[in-house]
Each structure stands twice: as structure tokens, then as C-alpha cells.
Amino acid sequence: MKNTPNFHILSGSMLKMIAMITMLIDHTGMAVLSQLPQALTPLFYFGDTPISIYRISRDIGRVAFPIFCFLLVEGFRHTHNRFLYGRNLLLFALISEIPWNIIHTNTLYYEKQNIFFTLFLGYLAFCVMEHFQNNQAAQFLCITFLLGISTVLQADYGWRGFIFLLIMYILRNEKASQAIIGSCWLYYEWKACFAFLSINMYNGQRGFIKRKGAKYLFYAFYPLHLTVLILIRQHLL
């Protein structure tokens, strides 16, 4: 029996909780703290950079996206129904679009699309690479097409996020390379690299989020927390 290293202590459920909590902190900073002068007041300076409560919340939130990408790869590998997995991603992308638009512009229109669209396009890319694994030309054409869609949609994290998903999938069995190359790719958001600390503590177990209802709650958390933050901001203002 293969021994599990002692530092592999986080289940998939724990990684989901870390991703959700850090995302909540990030979006609280973006939607609420950005409106509060006291949260924008520098607490101290790091070199010439002012560090405020708002800045700290946004920096903490950088680790959420790489963890969500890792979980998408793991979910794709282990799901029993690829169609339902992709359907859920697209469904919640559409559901989340209204609160996503409102939280950014207070209207029903925002030029950029929410993170579920990025994850859905990544899911389609995984399908392409698996289906055309013996046809590199078809792989290249389809991936280029999906990259183009990501650019046109201006999905959250943009084309860089889409390519990061490809890195995470291609290097799914090479954890050291995944962390090193993934961190290099995230140079423009270097705080996100800290996500690999928790990713590499993953023990391969599903954890406590098992039942269908709990899984859908994980999906629903995204539009729900955006809606709650919108209500909080409206109350404060």
C-alpha cells in the first residue's frame, strides 16, 4: 500500500471551503470595503506600496482561482457523467451573470463575464484534449477556437485564465511541474501562487461534500454570495 506523505492533509471538500472563503473575502473587498474610506486607509507601507484592509482582502482572494482550476481538473477526471458536469458549469454561468453584472456596474450589463464561463471553456478544452488525444491538429484548432471565444467573451481572468487551466490539466500528474510552471504563468498575479501550498496538500480524498445537495450548494454559493454582497452594499450606501 502506497504511503501518503504527512503533509497531504486536505481533502477535496477542504479545498472547496478554502476556495469559497478566500473568494468571499476577495469579493467583500471588491464590493463593500472599496466603498468604505476606513478600509482604504493604509495600515502600513510595504516599500512604497500602501497596505490597507481593502488591499489585504483582495490579495487573500488571489488564491481562490488556482484552487478552483485544480478542483475543475479533479472533477473532470473523476465525474461519472461528463455531460451533467459541463451542463452544471454552463447553467450556473448563466444564473450567476445577473448578480455578477449588478455587483460591478449596478446594472444588468457588464462587458466581462463571470468565472463560471472561464471554467466552462476550460472544461470544453479538457474534453477536446481527451477526445482528440491522437490528433494534435484537431486539438490545436479546437483549443485555438475556444481561446478565441474566451477572448471575445472577456470571461473572468481572460485568456490568461484559460491557458492556466490548460497548464493545470496537462500537468495534472506532475505536481511539482504543475506548481512551478503554474506559478511562473501567474507572475502577473504573484499572490495567487500561494494557492499551490494548499493544492499540494491535497490527499486525493473527496471529503465531506458528497451528496448531490451539497454539491449543488457549492455551485450555488457563487451567485448567492454575490447577491448577499449586493444587498449589504446597498444597505451601507
Side-chain angles (χ1 to χ4, degrees):
M1 182 176 177
K2 186 177 180 179
N3 293 325
T4 301
N6 292 333
F7 63 86
H8 287 174
I9 59 175
L10 298 179
S11 67
S13 298
M14 287 303 300
L15 286 178
K16 288 178 181 179
M17 295 300 297
I18 293 171
M20 289 192 294
I21 291 170
T22 53
M23 179 179 65
L24 175 60
I25 293 171
D26 180 34
H27 289 165
T28 299
M30 178 267 293
V32 179
L33 298 181
S34 62
Q35 308 299 311
L36 303 176
Q38 57 269 39
L40 298 174
T41 302
L43 299 173
F44 59 91
Y45 285 81
F46 186 75
D48 295 328
T49 304
I51 306 298
S52 62
I53 295 175
Y54 165 77
R55 183 71 268 159
I56 292 171
S57 70
R58 301 310 307 274
D59 288 345
I60 290 173
R62 297 308 90 201
V63 306
F65 178 66
I67 297 176
F68 278 123
C69 292
F70 175 78
L71 291 171
L72 179 68
V73 173
E74 287 298 297
F76 179 83
R77 295 174 67 184
H78 298 109
T79 184
H80 298 298
N81 191 319
R82 292 279 173 80
F83 173 79
L84 288 180
Y85 193 69
R87 185 207 66 181
N88 290 338
L89 290 171
L90 179 58
L91 175 63
F92 279 92
L94 297 173
I95 292 173
S96 301
E97 196 63 10
I98 292 177
W100 169 260
N101 291 343
I102 294 174
I103 204 167
H104 282 93
T105 66
N106 285 320
T107 71
L108 294 178
Y109 174 76
Y110 181 50
E111 61 184 7
K112 296 183 179 180
Q113 316 309 314
N114 69 76
I115 192 65
F116 267 114
F117 281 102
T118 306
L119 297 177
F120 177 67
L121 290 171
Y123 156 82
L124 293 179
F126 301 164
C127 291
V128 164
M129 286 189 283
E130 182 178 78
H131 185 74
F132 294 113
Q133 57 184 328
N134 297 319
N135 189 335
Q136 294 183 346
Q139 273 190 359
F140 177 78
L141 289 174
C142 292
I143 295 298
T144 302
F145 176 71
L146 291 172
L147 178 60
I149 293 177
S150 178
T151 303
V152 171
L153 285 179
Q154 298 188 64
D156 200 16
Y157 286 89
W159 62 270
R160 290 186 179 90
F162 178 80
I163 292 179
F164 180 74
L165 278 162
L166 298 183
I167 292 172
M168 296 296 284
Y169 179 78
I170 293 170
L171 299 176
R172 60 193 180 277
N173 296 320
E174 303 292 337
K175 297 306 180 187
S177 298
Q178 186 186 66
I180 294 170
I181 296 176
S183 295
C184 290
W185 183 255
L186 292 171
Y187 72 93
Y188 63 97
E189 285 282 13
W190 63 268
K191 291 110 177 167
C193 300
F194 288 103
F196 284 104
L197 293 176
S198 56
I199 288 172
N200 282 282
M201 294 171 71
Y202 176 55
N203 60 17
Q205 302 299 313
R206 180 181 297 180
F208 54 88
I209 301 177
K210 295 180 179 180
R211 295 186 178 182
K212 184 178 294 186
K215 292 179 183 179
Y216 280 104
L217 182 61
F218 172 67
Y219 284 106
F221 179 81
Y222 188 76
L224 287 175
H225 92 279
L226 292 178
T227 302
V228 170
L229 289 175
I230 290 168
L231 295 175
I232 291 174
R233 183 174 66 187
Q234 290 177 342
H235 176 73
L236 291 175
L237 298 180

